[in-house]
């Protein structure tokens, strides 16, 4: 049957479900590539080894990107490691705070640290970032105080930081919308003659939204300096990526006229390199790029979710072997780029961060109720004024009553 | 409590919808359930729990993450003779599908001079009160009621949830079925062999003589509580559960208001251009000489639904309803 | 007729918007015009005629055929400091953009606690009466007025069209600017050096004492004609041009109704859940003891906008307005 | 500047606008193909010569499709010719009727006859067609009485035929919407186990709509038996195709995992062949296909449009040399597949059709005003009943008044 398989479509003449049996491929016909084992850019193996950049067939692609991190220093590598560790720690703390009732909800990035830190560290301060709701690691790279991210999950605001403070837009919950905002912003950057770039994050699920397709079209037509960074974490809540596409997502770009590349999303070096390349393209006036970071959501979709209902533990186990943090740690250790002191210090820093996050959240006050009426309009609106006044009178009536 | 017969079960509202969907899937092979995460997961509120297991992936369909696609393909399925029941995951996520709903789903029957019918049900968990993040607590019913070609309903308890879903699926018209998400866990007796009220008929859920409270969906319970509280102060409030927002059962409201001569409408959606406006306008026209006071409205403010920590102040509550009752009675 | 000064020109409504856009493009390099066919073609109604020629393809931008993309990228441009003025080609084609308008454009200022502003104007030619095919004659203003965060306006003549566009572009809020397409060719004096009325203030366009007619956009002219016709029968009707649908200038309506004690609201959109409902509800509340009759509403029926050969029967016309006036006066 | 060119983006380092100068292409990276002269399937040259199906590089693609029309008979060829001539005649008549005030509007298919007749004739009666608003030729192939198409343009209805009468859906004006309906219908076909196929028409402009992208996603994921038939007539009202895409549109399919092919849209044989192939794929359970018929809108967008504002006459002149009808006539004549009698008879038939269309339209009555209230709902609606009654009373009040 169509929806799960085509085997049930009896009257069909030839073997059902086999693509390409009618006719033969040709130059004008663009045949679908079968999605088998993902072919991806990787610079650091799961075992923590730098991938050889010899120009053989299998690794040629890596070489091209490797040059974007060719001169990376041990200090920078330790910095990436630190970013990932602190991000994971922050994320775990937030999950715990949700369990304790301090947050209403939390969307964990566990497992996606490399994709976020690698791409986030590739950005320049004047670049602009449009996140989804899970980009805590990117926020970290942008210098957004992590405690600011918690307000919306605690329910005290819908986004507690100034987007222009760090060129990091608010989290966007309506799936895919932000890719158009990013594209428009990038059009504006180009109109200004600036050489900044814009990066839009979205998920594998989001790739199905019409808005994302429209953003590809606008970005291509206007040659906008925007990088579409898709974290394919294999799941859109309970739906595996096969419910969104039957070919690898990075290939989507080709049909819109710009390059797409799949990168190992658990390899922070590869993510850094590929994103640098894509951002450079943007700065150079070469237009948009799609980066698909192939990664895994190791936790639940959010704290409200129960992944045991739709996926097996062994899947997670397999991905744990590719853990982005462990991988870099192995490399740092094997190459003597970090000593025990570094790890110990980081552990302490991590603890301190956790403590600060806990304290800040617990002290986070509820907003004043009149905040309901604030910022609905920039220039005011008579009805809001009227309702605010009525509300004030109504509130006062209790005070009066209590005062009696 | 009525004794449980074989046909009567006590169950939460979410479960009642689940049972109703199950019955529809069993009764008619053309019924299909579609949406994001409705399959293995059973929906984020578990309303479709177990259905894919029992009816297969071709009857309970996990769709790509694209609401316009969900509604648009459902229209095509309906043209092919299917009766799709769609889930929109949350109120705030229906808007990507709004074009398909307003320009296609609502109009295609008329456009075809009646030649095609689109029996599509769109389930939307709606309303606030569950401490959720942005876009998860809205009440957009007015945006559908204004559109000719759509029917809009909202049950307030498990029994109505069960039966109104049966009726919505049987209807040959598109029905937007708003589920009061904060009442999902409220239990009630559901008699699966009852003869249900007509889908678009309001029901008096409490009789009274001094003032009429009308509501639908999540606010019915609140109005019942308000009526109980008012009774303690010696005031007799009648409570009407509208059940349907389009059409609105003005006859039932009129009958009540001709008796009580005062009307307060309660809903979560912003008051401005909300259901209360239409009810106030038409009932004032119908009952001009009966009304002792203007129709008063209690609802959301003209502001985006606030963060969870403020929702109590944003939403109608007992005090605000009683305050409106006091004001109406003061005329 | 006032003598034409250097600043006063007689021009059709469409041309007035064109001139206003031109002035805005000249005055502020951050103003950009975007839409389908707004460039070389100058728009299907020629409202943007000549602008691309004079300001270039980067200021007057022909976009891909995708309304969500137009609004979504305009939001991004606004975040970058631009002031986009968008054209939606016809009323019925705004719905693909509805999600971006409702969930993003309307809410982002509040979401950011006031940190970002979205000065985006969305121009929508709306309403019927031009004998067009489906989706080209609708009046969806209520679907925007119900949404907090949006402002909704509609000029009725060339002078207002000019000035309200200036003000809409200067506003730091998103403004949905509904253009009464069947009045595009109606001429009026436009004084480009005048001091305009505030954007959201209603204006008495004809004074009267027996009953108030309120309208906006295309229906203002009809109401003026109705008032003239009624005058011949010795009835003195006051006509109010609301100009703004969100916010609504209830103060001005109230002032008028306290004098005339009767109110009829006229719009093309379906009556059910339309602007008339909100006006009737609120004015009844404000003027309960003044009203001699219920607020009556004249508008579209609860049916999809009909084929052109039926639109005369669907749309409010002189007879229907006068009929409502008679009914209100009969109380 | 972004919108027209990137030359103004001064700070950019490298040559602006040149795609692909950063880094080099690779296997994982999907590079954009440059759109130069369109490479398309062609079986009949503009001069009316059958393209040799020798398997050389340039023509290999044609050979694969040629077999779908290999056994076409002279009678069938004359049939295609007749379809195109009568369609064009009908179209011209409608344009004239609009000028005479009998229609409010007309959307001419002039120039697109081959794309429509070729594809339309490839369908089977049990297939289902979802048109835009310009598929008068396809309607003809489906057996819809052409005069039925005129109702909506005259303003007496929004679509005057029974979609299920000929499995030809109503015209859809909201651009792109129907591609989702087609996809859903195709999902239903597959669920029914039928071997029918569905074909969705849309334009080059429509390709930008999110709905079209979503329909590609749904069709691919559910392997729906649907053919997406894009008539790229070079223009979306005043906007050339470059405002919608920077690569040929047929390539769009590849990123969604199904084949795309570009066919000479002015070659009725090639359109027939390619559509047969695509429909056969659908029937065989091989899922969706995108066909881009490269053609030209020789007339105005609609009778309301003035193309002189945005395009040059010489463009049209160039396309006139590729006229689809002339091309087939040349072939018919050169191959002696049709004699003068045939052409003369067709001319007479054409005249008769024109006459009938004129007569039917002029006699087409206005609908009863109460039609406003009909078919709003299938099961009725209290408010509609109430308004109908009020309207009746209101109408009656005039009758009464006049009666006095
Ligand atoms: C328009 C819209 N529809 C539905 C949802 C509900 N929803 C929230 S997250 C999610 C899945 C997103 O998956 P993906 O894009 O892969 O991102 P991930 O959560 O995996 O990071 C869904 C369906 C939403 N937020 N917005
Ligand atoms: C959603 C929507 N937006 C805008 C329009 C107005 N409009 C009608 S036809 C058209 C151009 C369509 O171009 P294309 O898809 O190439 O089809 P063609 O007219 O060339 O056959 C536009 C913009 C519309 N009908 N629907
Ligand atoms: Mg995901
Ligand atoms: Mg076109």
């Amino acid at each position: 049957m169509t929806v799960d398989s085509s085997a049930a479509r009896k009257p069909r003449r030839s073997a059902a479900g086999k693509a390409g049996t009618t006719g033969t491929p040709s130059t004008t016909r663009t045949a679908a590539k079968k999605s088998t084992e993902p072919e991806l850019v990787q610079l650091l193996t799961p075992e923590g080894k730098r991938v050889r950049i010899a120009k053989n067939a299998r690794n040629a692609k890596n070489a091209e990107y490797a040059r974007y991190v060719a001169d990376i220093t041990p200090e920078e590598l330790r910095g990436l490691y630190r970013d990932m560790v602190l991000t994971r720690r922050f994320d775990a703390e937030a999950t715990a705070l949700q369990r304790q009732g301090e947050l209403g909800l939390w969307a964990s990035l566990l497992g996606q640290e490399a994709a976020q830190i690698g791409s986030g560290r590739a950005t320049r301060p004047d670049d602009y970032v449009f996140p989804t709701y899970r980009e805590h690691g990117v926020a970290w790279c942008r210098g957004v105080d992590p405690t600011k991210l918690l307000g919306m999950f605690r329910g005290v605001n819908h986004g507690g930081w100034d987007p222009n403070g760090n060129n990091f837009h608010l989290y966007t919950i309506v799936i895919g919308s932000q890719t158009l905002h990013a594209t428009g912003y990038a059009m504006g950057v180009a109109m200004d003659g600036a050489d900044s770039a814009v990066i839009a994050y979205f998920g594998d699920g989001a790739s199905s939204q019409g808005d994302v397709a429209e953003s590809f079209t606008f970005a291509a037509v206007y040659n906008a300096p925007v990088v579409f960074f898709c974290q394919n974490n294999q799941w859109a809540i309970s739906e595996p990526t096969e419910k969104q596409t039957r070919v690898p997502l990075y290939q989507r770009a080709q049909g819109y006229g710009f390059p797409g590349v799949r990168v190992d999303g658990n390899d922070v070096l590869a993510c850094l390199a590929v994103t640098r390349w894509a951002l450079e393209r943007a700065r150079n006036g070469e237009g948009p790029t799609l980066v698909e970071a192939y990664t895994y959501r190791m936790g639940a979709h959010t704290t409200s979710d129960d992944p045991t209902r739709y996926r097996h533990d062994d899947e997670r186990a397999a991905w744990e072997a590719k853990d982005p943090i462990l991988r870099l740690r192995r490399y740092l250790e094997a190459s003597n780029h970090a000593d025990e002191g570094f790890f110990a210090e980081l552990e302490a820093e991590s603890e301190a961060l956790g403590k600060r996050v806990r304290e800040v959240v617990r002290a986070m006050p509820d907003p004043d109720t009149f905040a309901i009426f604030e910022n609905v309009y920039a220039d005011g609106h008579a009805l809001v004024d009227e309702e605010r006044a009525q509300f004030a009178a109504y509130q006062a009536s209790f005070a009066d009553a209590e005062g009696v | 409590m009525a004794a449980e017969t074989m046909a009567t079960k006590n169950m939460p509202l979410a479960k009642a919808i689940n049972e109703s969907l199950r019955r529809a899937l069993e009764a008619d092979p053309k019924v299909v359930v579609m949406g994001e995460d409705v399959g293995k997961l059973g929906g984020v509120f578990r309303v479709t729990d177990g259905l894919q297991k029992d009816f297969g992936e071709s009857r309970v369909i996990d769709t790509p993450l694209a609401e316009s696609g969900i509604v648009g393909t459902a229209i095509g399925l309906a043209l092919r003779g299917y009766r799709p029941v769609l889930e929109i995951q949350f109120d705030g996520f229906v808007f990507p599908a709004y074009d398909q709903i307003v320009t296609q789903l609502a109009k295609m029957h008329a456009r075809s001079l009646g030649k095609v019918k689109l029996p599509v049900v769109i389930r939307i968990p709606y309303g606030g009160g569950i401490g959720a993040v942005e876009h998860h607590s809205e009440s957009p019913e007015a945006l559908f009621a204004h559109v000719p070609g759509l029917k809009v309903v909202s049950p307030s308890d498990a029994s109505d949830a069960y039966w109104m879903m049966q009726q919505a699926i049987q209807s040959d018209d598109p029905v937007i079925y708003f589920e009061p998400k904060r009442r999902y866990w409220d239990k009630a007796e559901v008699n699966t062999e009852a003869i249900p009220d007509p889908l678009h008929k309001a029901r008096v859920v409490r009789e009274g003589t001094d003032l009429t409270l009308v509501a639908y969906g999540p606010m019915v319970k609140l109005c019942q509580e308000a009526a109980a509280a008012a009774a303690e102060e010696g005031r007799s409030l009648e409570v009407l559960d509208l059940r349907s927002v389009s059409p609105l059962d003005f006859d039932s409201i009129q009958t009540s208001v001709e008796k009580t001569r005062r009307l307060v409408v309660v809903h979560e959606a912003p008051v401005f251009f909300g259901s209360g406006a239409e009810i106030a306008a038409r009932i004032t026209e119908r009952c001009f000489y009966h009304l002792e006071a203007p129709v008063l409205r209690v609802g959301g403010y003209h502001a985006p639904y606030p963060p969870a920590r403020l929702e109590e102040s944003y939403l109608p509550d007992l005090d605000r309803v009683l305050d409106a009752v006091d004001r109406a009675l003061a005329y």
Side-chain angles (χ1 to χ4, degrees), chain A, chain B:
Chain A
M1 209 290 314
T2 178
V3 170
D4 36 358
S5 88
S6 36
R9 289 158 68 184
K10 296 196 206 76
R12 309 274 154 150
R13 273 169 269 155
S14 77
K18 249 193 248 158
T21 60
T22 310
T24 46
S26 80
T27 45
T28 30
R29 206 187 302 158
T30 58
K33 260 197 201 167
K34 279 268 116 175
S35 164
T36 52
E37 255 303 272
E39 200 181 44
L40 32 66
V41 178
Q42 192 184 70
L43 300 180
L44 209 53
T45 69
E47 298 73 34
K49 300 226 164 70
R50 283 294 281 267
V51 173
R52 288 278 143 257
I53 58 165
K55 294 228 176 199
N56 62 46
R58 169 99 188 119
N59 285 329
K61 62 184 179 298
N62 293 331
E64 304 155 25
Y65 300 101
R67 64 189 181 87
Y68 286 87
V69 291
D71 52 5
I72 196 161
T73 63
E75 193 184 338
E76 284 167 328
L77 286 168
R78 285 192 303 273
L80 293 172
Y81 183 79
R82 174 176 169 271
D83 290 337
M84 292 199 288
V85 166
L86 293 181
T87 296
R88 181 172 289 187
R89 177 50 188 262
F90 164 71
D91 187 73
E93 201 63 49
T95 299
L97 284 163
Q98 195 280 336
R99 300 258 177 274
Q100 296 157 28
E102 295 290 342
L103 301 180
L105 185 81
W106 183 245
S108 166
L109 67 13
L110 189 66
Q112 302 178 216
E113 293 86 356
Q116 297 195 13
I117 299 300
S119 61
R121 282 293 171 215
T123 62
R124 280 192 336 208
D126 60 309
D127 293 341
Y128 213 102
V129 175
F130 288 83
T132 73
Y133 41 78
R134 206 189 285 286
E135 271 65 75
H136 321 313
V138 184
W140 172 265
C141 296
R142 299 300 299 175
V144 177
D145 179 343
T147 62
K148 297 262 191 201
L149 304 176
L150 300 173
M152 63 180 276
F153 293 98
R154 185 173 169 88
V156 302
N157 58 46
H158 291 319
W161 59 97
D162 180 351
N164 294 322
N166 307 71
N167 282 10
F168 184 78
H169 192 65
L170 296 180
Y171 280 176
T172 296
I173 291 181
V174 178
I175 299 286
S177 317
Q178 76 282 358
T179 59
L180 280 169
H181 310 156
T183 302
Y185 193 97
M187 287 163 65
V189 167
M191 283 157 79
D192 292 344
D195 78 340
S196 311
V198 178
I199 182 164
Y201 288 85
F202 64 101
D204 45 304
S207 70
S208 296
Q209 283 287 1
D211 272 9
V212 175
E214 294 189 11
S215 71
F216 287 6
T217 285
F218 276 69
V221 165
Y222 298 126
N223 200 42
V226 58
V227 175
F228 296 107
F229 195 92
C230 176
Q231 287 170 82
N232 177 355
N233 63 6
Q234 313 300 320
W235 292 94
I237 308 188
S238 72
E239 300 192 8
T241 308
E242 297 80 67
K243 288 284 161 207
Q244 319 291 340
T245 182
R246 62 188 203 186
V247 286
L249 280 170
Y250 75 92
Q251 296 179 7
R252 184 71 50 90
Q254 180 167 14
Y256 291 86
F258 55 90
V261 58
R262 180 181 267 188
V263 61
D264 183 337
N266 287 17
D267 172 354
V268 69
L269 266 196
C271 290
L272 178 65
V274 167
T275 312
R276 278 183 176 165
W277 163 77
L279 288 167
E280 188 178 302
R281 276 180 44 83
R283 289 186 219 297
N284 286 351
E286 293 167 53
T289 309
L290 170 62
V291 176
E292 178 193 2
Y294 198 78
T295 179
Y296 191 70
R297 190 195 79 208
M298 291 174 73
H301 170 69
T302 65
T303 47
S304 299
D305 180 40
D306 172 11
T308 65
R309 292 180 71 101
Y310 54 81
R311 68 184 193 189
H312 287 293
D313 273 351
D314 44 358
E315 186 181 286
R316 187 189 146 124
W319 278 91
E320 258 162 17
K322 307 186 210 167
D323 187 287
I325 295 185
L326 198 61
R327 181 184 307 211
L328 184 55
R329 181 173 185 131
R330 283 179 180 146
Y331 176 62
L332 286 175
E333 287 175 344
S335 57
N336 285 323
H337 284 339
D339 57 17
E340 276 186 24
F342 166 74
F343 293 113
E345 217 168 282
L346 183 52
E347 182 55 33
E349 191 180 2
S350 196
E351 277 308 304
L353 173 64
K355 183 153 172 286
R356 183 167 78 83
V357 168
R358 278 195 300 279
E359 284 169 5
V360 173
V361 167
R362 292 194 177 129
M364 212 179 259
D366 280 358
D368 185 89
T369 47
F370 281 90
I372 290 172
F373 305 99
E374 297 314 313
N375 302 311
V376 182
Y377 295 90
D379 294 346
H381 186 284
L383 180 61
V384 176
D385 295 340
E386 190 181 324
E387 289 186 342
R388 188 195 292 104
Q390 282 166 357
F391 186 76
Y394 172 70
Q395 294 282 76
S397 72
F398 291 99
D400 293 354
E402 281 159 22
V404 177
Chain B
M1 275 282 121
E4 289 206 7
T5 70
M6 257 178 58
T8 302
K9 277 185 269 183
N10 191 277
M11 62 178 88
L13 194 150
K15 178 69 179 163
I17 300 173
N18 178 279
E19 292 276 334
S20 193
L21 292 173
R22 175 176 292 278
R23 178 169 172 171
L25 284 161
E26 267 161 10
D28 184 350
K30 291 296 183 190
V31 171
V32 291
V33 168
M34 298 170 68
E36 297 156 9
D37 306 296
V38 297
K40 258 196 185 164
L41 185 64
V44 293
F45 289 108
R46 309 291 183 263
V47 171
T48 55
D49 193 22
L51 299 179
Q52 189 181 67
K53 194 168 144 279
D54 294 343
F55 296 95
E57 291 190 24
S58 59
R59 306 273 321 271
V60 180
I61 305 171
D62 273 325
T63 64
L65 206 177
E67 287 76 9
S68 190
I70 295 171
V71 175
T73 55
I75 289 172
L77 280 161
L79 291 172
R80 179 75 191 177
Y82 285 84
R83 304 184 88 84
V85 184
L86 317 180
E87 172 172 308
I88 298 292
Q89 203 161 76
F90 281 92
D91 33 67
F93 307 140
V94 70
F95 298 111
Y98 196 69
D99 175 55
Q100 283 286 348
I101 296 173
V102 169
T103 72
Q104 304 303 313
L105 185 62
K107 294 188 172 68
M108 208 176 279
H109 181 66
R111 183 182 299 148
S112 74
L113 301 172
K115 295 291 194 306
V116 304
K117 287 172 184 164
L118 294 181
V120 176
V121 178
I122 304 184
R123 299 179 36 237
I124 309 180
Y126 84 125
I130 63 159
V133 294
E134 203 187 354
H135 309 290
H136 289 69
S137 305
E138 297 164 11
S139 299
E141 65 274 15
L143 303 173
F144 297 89
H146 186 49
V147 179
L150 301 178
K151 290 176 172 173
V152 182
V153 302
S154 182
S156 70
D157 68 14
S159 172
D160 267 0
Y162 180 90
W163 281 111
M164 290 169 70
M165 179 54 75
Q166 288 292 305
Q167 295 165 316
I169 293 172
Q170 276 149 27
S171 169
D172 278 335
D173 290 308
V175 178
I176 317 291
Y177 184 99
F178 279 105
E179 304 177 358
K181 68 169 89 80
R182 67 158 127 168
R183 307 293 181 217
Y184 268 148
W185 304 277
D186 286 6
K187 291 186 171 189
E189 297 290 316
V190 177
N191 179 348
T192 57
E193 285 173 10
I195 296 169
D197 289 335
L199 181 56
H200 301 292
K201 196 153 169 37
R203 187 175 53 230
V204 177
V205 291
R206 181 187 179 111
E207 298 208 357
T209 52
D210 297 343
L211 181 147
T212 302
L213 282 176
V214 307
Y216 47 86
M219 292 288 93
V220 173
K221 187 175 173 190
L222 177 67
C223 287
Q224 286 175 295
E225 290 164 2
E232 286 177 20
E233 296 175 26
R235 281 162 177 176
S236 166
L237 307 193
E238 180 145 310
V239 180
L240 226 68
D241 180 354
L242 291 178
R243 302 170 74 250
S244 173
V245 180
S246 176
L248 275 166
D249 182 1
F250 291 114
D251 290 344
S252 294
I253 310 176
Q254 180 174 357
T255 303
S256 177
V257 170
E258 284 177 358
K259 176 173 70 173
T260 64
R261 308 173 89 88
R262 286 177 170 86
L263 177 61
V264 172
V265 188
V266 184
H267 53 64
E268 292 191 15
V271 165
F272 193 61
F273 281 74
S275 309
E278 181 59 38
I279 294 169
R282 204 162 300 242
I283 291 301
T284 304
E285 196 177 334
R286 287 197 181 200
C287 308
F288 190 64
Y289 293 117
H290 286 93
L291 282 168
E292 303 275 358
V295 178
L296 297 185
R297 299 177 283 165
V298 181
Y301 298 107
H302 192 67
Y305 196 91
R309 301 275 175 140
L310 290 175
E311 69 179 342
E312 272 186 33
S313 302
Y314 182 86
L315 288 170
D317 62 7
L318 206 56
D319 282 333
R320 281 177 63 201
V321 174
L322 291 173
D323 175 66
V325 168
D326 286 347
R327 284 187 287 123
L329 287 168
Y331 272 81

